[in-house]
Amino acid sequence: MSLRLAIVGRPNVGKSTLFNRLAGRKLAIVHDRPGVTRDWREAHAVFGGLDLTLIDTAGFEDARPNTLSGAMRAQTEAAIARADACLFVIDSRAGVTAEDEIFAEIVRRANKPTLLIANKCEGKAGDQGLLDAFNLGLGEPVAMSAAHGEGLGDLFSALQKIAQAHGGASGADIDAVSGQGAEADDDAEGDDKPVRIAVIGRPNAGKSTLINTLIGEDRLITGPEPGVTRDAIAVRFQHDGREVRVHDTAGLRKRAKVQDSLERLSVSDTIRAINFAEVVVLVMD
């Protein structure tokens, strides 16, 4: 049985970097700019024999519900509700912030097993933040550097205990880390293989709204602002007994207009989804 892990925390603490590290592939966009991740995304991973479903989430922000930040927070809370356990990530170099304290309380109220990850602990810059992390009341923090792969052994040991309580595989070989994204685990043939669809179009054409309508739930964030979607997010649903995997993508503009480094990463993610798809749906306003 796969253990579903929601990776949560405030913006820019390294959640997507940890997600990619555990998945074994660069699936989520990573950028220095806070708030890059908006919709939550899933990936399957085998970490030291542990069968995991990883959920990368948007950074927690204390915002009103009718704002983009509020919608991102609602999506993160929905991901926590679907998870079996949480990895609560803080930036040990910045120390424990007021936002960390607020959202640690939200995670506690969710009543899910939670591991506290003190990320960015490379060198001595994160020592004080690591000590401060005990004050969050989420147990002993796991000191890590997701960017450099440090602390994976301690993380594995802590996850192993949660997985055993959950009924998952116990694993033994910490070097056996092989990740597959949601778009890369389709070895089935014939009718068992999901239909893969990429929904593309220019910014604000209604791609996310179309997918929400197809699946019958507000799975993807929508709004009047162009460029709400940044990652290519795979969403699964059933149609006439057949699994369908539809990818929401970032809006595409003419190449000459794409100057921002984050937008270039989004475009690359969209192109990857197109190459992976069997069917491409163009949405026009």
Side-chain angles (χ1 to χ4, degrees):
M1 182 184 300
S2 180
L3 180 69
R4 294 177 61 85
L5 288 177
I7 304 174
V8 301
R10 61 182 178 83
N12 217 30
V13 295
K15 298 182 299 298
S16 294
T17 301
L18 178 59
F19 175 86
N20 288 343
R21 174 67 65 179
L22 293 177
R25 300 179 64 201
K26 293 182 179 180
L27 297 173
I29 293 176
V30 176
H31 197 276
D32 291 338
R33 191 179 305 172
V36 170
T37 301
R38 288 175 172 172
D39 294 294
W40 55 271
R41 71 183 302 162
E42 293 187 3
H44 175 256
V46 178
F47 177 43
L50 299 177
D51 188 14
L52 305 176
T53 298
L54 307 171
I55 308 175
D56 188 26
T57 67
F60 272 128
E61 293 188 71
D62 198 10
R64 297 190 305 274
N66 60 340
T67 63
L68 177 58
S69 295
M72 290 161 60
R73 173 173 170 169
Q75 286 285 316
T76 296
E77 291 175 340
I80 292 173
R82 299 189 186 202
D84 301 311
C86 296
L87 300 183
F88 188 91
V89 185
I90 68 166
D91 180 347
S92 62
R93 294 181 302 185
V96 174
T97 69
E99 280 190 326
D100 289 326
E101 294 174 347
I102 291 171
F103 299 122
E105 178 60 30
I106 291 174
V107 170
R108 277 195 293 270
R109 288 202 300 266
N111 198 27
K112 300 288 177 75
T114 300
L115 290 180
L116 176 58
I117 307 297
N119 193 31
K120 305 183 184 180
C121 270
E122 62 272 18
K124 296 183 178 181
D127 288 353
Q128 186 58 50
L130 178 63
L131 293 175
D132 292 343
F134 283 91
N135 296 326
L136 288 173
L138 294 174
E140 182 177 356
V142 177
M144 288 195 64
S145 171
H148 296 90
E150 298 175 9
L152 289 174
D154 292 337
L155 176 60
F156 171 75
S157 297
L159 282 176
Q160 193 176 35
K161 296 176 182 178
I162 293 178
Q164 288 172 341
H166 184 255
S170 60
D173 183 3
I174 191 59
D175 292 326
V177 181
S178 60
Q180 291 183 324
E183 67 272 26
D185 56 358
D186 297 326
D187 295 327
E189 299 293 338
D191 292 340
D192 293 329
K193 188 174 182 179
V195 178
R196 299 187 294 263
I197 302 172
V199 179
I200 67 170
R202 63 182 179 81
N204 218 28
K207 302 180 293 298
S208 300
T209 301
L210 173 62
I211 294 174
N212 285 343
T213 301
L214 285 174
I215 66 177
E217 63 174 294
D218 291 332
R219 168 65 177 82
L220 301 166
I221 295 174
T222 61
E225 309 93 334
V228 169
T229 302
R230 286 173 170 166
D231 292 89
I233 303 296
V235 178
R236 306 184 189 195
F237 67 100
Q238 296 284 329
H239 179 70
D240 289 339
R242 181 79 180 274
E243 183 178 347
V244 178
R245 185 165 302 163
V246 58
H247 288 254
D248 189 25
T249 64
L252 292 174
R253 300 194 299 163
K254 292 181 179 180
R255 181 178 299 179
K257 293 184 178 181
V258 180
Q259 303 294 331
D260 181 73
S261 60
L262 178 55
E263 186 175 2
R264 287 198 294 268
L265 290 172
S266 295
V267 169
S268 296
D269 211 27
T270 295
I271 292 172
R272 184 179 66 176
I274 293 171
N275 292 335
F276 179 73
E278 299 168 312
V279 179
V280 176
V281 175
L282 174 61
V283 179
M284 300 179 66
D285 186 351

